Amino acid sequence: MITLFFAAGDDNWNQYEGPLILALEKAKISATILTKSPANPETVDYIIYAPVAGALTDFTPYRNVRAVLSLWAGVEKLAPNKTLRQPLCRMVDPGLTEGMVEYVVGHVLRQHLGIDRYIINPNHDWVQKCPPLARERSVGIMGLGTLGTAVTTALRALNFNLSAWGRSPKPDLEMPYFHGADGLEALLSRSEILVTLLPDTPDTRGLLNAQTIAYLPYGAALINPGRGTVIDDVALLAALDQGALSHATLDVFHQEPLPKTHRFWQHPKVTVTPHIAADTRPLTSSRVVVENIRRDQAGLALLHQVDLARGY
Ligand code: NAP
């Protein structure tokens, strides 16, 4: 019998109780699940975690925990926690990935087809300007991890002219791929639509600033469902005001909820979505959590382990 501490809040517990118990039963794992801080933290084997209000911040007493299993894909709130000495696994949930693919494809098509022009047409203008084909539209993806890769697969199926950028080299890709600081200008300068799917780490903060935004083609559109800290907001607003960028669709922000007075809310060239691009789905993510517990109990390596030094 193992002991799990569900440290992800009551609201999450209401959604996860059924799927988690079902997944444990299917994996034939007997577990006691605690939903409140235990009197004796040393009895806990695994912590299932989400950074909700009042979330656990001191992992020191959980001496016997074998892994902290995050329900979130982004772990920027956990990775820098110096009390965390246990392995940390982030969420790679097929349901979440599917949601992100749908969000990105929808917003890329909106920009590519110029859909807004026909939705907001107060003067009933009859301007017959057919959009180019997807094969003639360049889309750049910053961050070719789990989500970036799934997104490129979907956009490739629509024939978009794709390129990508990441931290490490990736040979043998079916598209132009650039990496590291030296490769960023090459990616940006060919991206009429830029999708950012980067984690929040010390190295990604402020990557899109006045200098790098200027590398984008004039009138490019930006879609950011990764993390808000990647963008210098002041530089982005300046680029939109000057017409250098035509639109920004933003799902994530430096501060969330986005303050009601923030210029993004009023800006005619900004679409704000409230961090809804892709949610972790209890049914599929419970299976991921339980699979990691099963693997660990069987002496196998944990999946999706975070490199705490890198922060993702
Ligand atoms: P992932 O698999 O860890 O991929 C991260 C990608 O970013 C990798 O390709 C990595 O490059 C690249 N990267 C990291 N640091 C970099 C740097 N300094 N320079 C260049 N590239 C860098 O993560 P994921 O599952 O795709 O998720 C990406 C992010 O999406 C998450 O961290 C989370 O913040 C965000 N997210 C948002 C939502 C939402 O609803 N808005 C939902 C889920 C996730 P390498 O491949 O070279 O390592």
Side-chain angles (χ1 to χ4, degrees):
M1 175 79 83
I2 59 169
T3 300
L4 311 180
F5 175 23
F6 188 88
D10 292 343
D11 288 350
N12 275 323
W13 179 242
N14 290 337
Q15 296 183 56
Y16 275 85
E17 181 178 4
L20 195 57
I21 290 171
L22 188 68
L24 286 164
E25 277 172 9
K26 277 198 173 160
K28 299 190 171 44
I29 295 173
S30 303
T32 301
I33 308 178
L34 311 172
T35 56
K36 302 281 174 234
S37 296
N40 182 2
E42 294 190 12
T43 58
V44 176
D45 298 298
Y46 299 91
I47 296 176
I48 300 169
Y49 185 89
V52 292
L56 176 66
T57 51
D58 185 5
F59 293 85
T60 319
Y62 294 87
R63 282 178 224 292
N64 297 318
V65 158
R66 298 188 51 79
V68 175
L69 306 166
S70 171
L71 293 182
W72 281 31
V75 289
E76 66 275 5
K77 293 195 169 82
L78 262 183
N81 187 325
K82 294 289 176 227
T83 69
L84 184 66
R85 300 190 184 282
Q86 303 85 344
L88 168 64
C89 299
R90 63 190 206 92
M91 179 48 66
V92 175
D93 166 26
L96 182 152
T97 303
E98 222 176 302
M100 184 60 83
V101 167
E102 292 177 16
Y103 179 94
V104 172
V105 169
H107 286 282
V108 166
L109 283 173
R110 174 185 171 199
Q111 299 306 325
H112 167 62
L113 297 173
I115 288 173
D116 291 16
R117 201 175 302 138
Y118 308 103
I119 296 175
I120 306 158
N121 187 4
N123 299 326
H124 303 168
D125 292 329
W126 187 264
V127 182
Q128 287 186 301
K129 192 170 174 241
C130 206
L133 292 173
R135 70 178 76 252
E136 295 155 342
R137 180 76 72 192
S138 58
V139 179
I141 312 289
M142 287 177 83
L144 199 58
T146 304
L147 299 178
T149 302
V151 159
T152 53
T153 303
L155 293 174
R156 185 178 298 120
L158 293 169
N159 280 338
F160 279 103
N161 177 7
L162 297 174
S163 319
W165 180 81
R167 188 188 51 80
S168 55
K170 297 187 196 297
D172 305 326
L173 287 177
E174 288 174 31
M175 64 180 160
Y177 172 78
F178 310 94
H179 69 277
D182 293 346
L184 186 55
E185 182 175 355
L187 183 278
L188 295 178
S189 61
R190 59 197 297 152
S191 301
E192 291 174 278
I193 300 174
L194 180 69
V195 179
T196 56
L197 278 165
L198 290 167
D200 174 10
T201 73
D203 291 340
T204 62
R205 278 171 214 149
L207 265 176
L208 288 179
N209 51 45
Q211 183 193 344
T212 53
I213 288 173
Y215 295 147
L216 289 160
Y218 193 82
L222 168 69
I223 299 166
N224 181 23
R227 279 294 180 263
T229 49
V230 171
I231 295 175
D232 174 340
D233 290 357
V234 174
L236 172 59
L237 284 163
L240 289 162
D241 288 340
Q242 289 153 14
L245 291 188
S246 59
H247 196 89
T249 300
L250 308 172
D251 187 57
V252 282
F253 304 91
H254 285 261
Q255 189 187 338
E256 295 183 12
L258 182 66
K260 289 202 186 293
T261 52
H262 199 288
R263 270 194 72 203
F264 284 157
W265 283 114
Q266 280 88 33
H267 202 287
K269 294 180 183 171
V270 176
T271 300
V272 170
T273 59
H275 203 144
I276 47 76
D279 211 357
T280 305
R281 314 283 155 155
L283 200 62
T284 41
S285 62
S286 292
R287 290 185 201 133
V288 175
V289 165
V290 170
E291 172 60 5
N292 243 347
I293 295 171
R294 186 198 69 76
R295 288 178 65 90
D296 187 57
Q297 290 288 303
L300 301 170
L302 289 161
L303 300 173
H304 321 308
Q305 201 170 331
V306 173
D307 180 329
L308 292 177
R310 264 195 231 136
Y312 72 99

